[in-house]
Amino acid sequence: ASSQVRASELATVAQTIDGTRIMVEYSRPRARGRDTLFGTRAVHWGEVWTPGANWATTIDVSKPVTINNQRVPKGKYSVWFVVRKQGDWSLVLDSTVRRFHMDPPDTNKTLIRIPVKPRTTSFTEVLTWSFPEVRMNGATLAFAWERVEIPIDIGVEPSLVTTLSASDAAPFLGSYTYTENDSAGKPSKVLTFTITHEDGTLKGRFD
């Protein structure tokens, strides 16, 4: 039997952030000479569309995360966009993972809906998911195809707690004097270092 190259090849992109693994699996359709894809027969306005091809695109998070500041429990989800000509699109996550791209989920209470903002970018021939930015506490997951790009902010739960309660911070608060001596051992500069407690964090400032 001869092998056959699929029109939309399967791809995976993954990123681990502070012990949280985020993985997107999707098929990658091509523009194939089409200058416009959204608002055409390829992707209709108002359509509930999986950003990929063949079987629905999926995202798998190994721990709870936030997506655009909305909490998403640990698990694997099929991924859908509600595509609109104007205004925000909706990112829809469905716990039913194995869905064909022409079988979008029905409206139900178990779906997670998150507003996302499409923006115009340079032409992208092959549908792409990527992690263009990674931070200590999260990352940007980006979708791009045709001239549409959608950045999605993902936040992870930190493994190291860096905040202090007011009672724990109290012994450290106040002003401290810092003195620099010259080569003869005489004070040449005196600075004041002040420690405050703001938003659960100790802040240190030299006057």
Side-chain angles (χ1 to χ4, degrees):
S2 60
S3 62
Q4 180 178 356
V5 177
R6 299 182 65 177
S8 301
E9 294 287 1
L10 184 65
T12 302
V13 61
Q15 180 66 52
T16 300
I17 308 159
D18 195 10
T20 300
R21 180 175 171 81
I22 304 157
M23 182 169 66
V24 177
E25 294 180 280
Y26 66 111
S27 293
R28 306 187 67 191
R30 299 175 178 272
R32 292 185 284 109
R34 296 170 291 181
D35 183 70
T36 303
L37 296 166
F38 296 100
T40 68
R41 290 178 59 187
V43 185
H44 301 281
W45 295 129
E47 180 179 351
V48 181
W49 171 73
T50 192
N54 304 320
W55 292 101
T57 294
T58 61
I59 185 169
D60 191 351
V61 292
S62 64
K63 297 179 182 180
V65 298
T66 60
I67 297 182
N68 286 359
N69 295 318
Q70 184 168 328
R71 185 172 174 81
V72 174
K74 167 187 174 180
K76 189 172 185 178
Y77 305 88
S78 57
V79 179
W80 307 83
F81 283 142
V82 180
V83 182
R84 299 185 177 95
K85 186 175 183 179
Q86 295 180 333
D88 291 352
W89 292 11
S90 294
L91 169 66
V92 179
L93 302 180
D94 182 14
S95 57
T96 302
V97 175
R98 190 66 170 171
R99 284 189 176 277
F100 196 60
H101 73 279
M102 297 180 68
D103 180 30
D106 295 329
T107 300
N108 63 69
K109 294 181 180 180
T110 65
L111 299 178
I112 299 173
R113 298 175 180 82
I114 303 168
V116 293
K117 294 185 179 297
R119 63 190 186 191
T120 303
T121 187
S122 56
F123 194 88
T124 302
E125 167 68 20
V126 186
L127 189 148
T128 301
W129 285 95
S130 65
F131 289 94
E133 179 190 10
V134 179
R135 310 179 302 277
M136 291 181 62
N137 61 349
T140 299
L141 173 63
F143 161 84
W145 198 33
E146 196 233 66
R147 293 180 180 83
V148 173
E149 179 183 52
I150 300 178
I152 300 169
D153 180 77
I154 298 182
V156 304
E157 293 186 351
S159 59
L160 176 64
V161 177
T162 58
T163 58
L164 287 175
S165 66
S167 59
D168 288 338
F172 304 99
L173 306 182
S175 296
Y176 301 82
T177 299
Y178 171 78
T179 303
E180 288 186 4
N181 294 334
D182 60 19
S183 59
K186 296 181 179 180
S188 61
K189 183 187 295 184
V190 179
L191 299 174
T192 300
F193 184 66
T194 303
I195 296 180
T196 60
H197 184 237
E198 303 171 23
D199 299 325
T201 304
L202 291 177
K203 304 289 186 183
R205 298 181 178 88
F206 279 108
D207 291 348

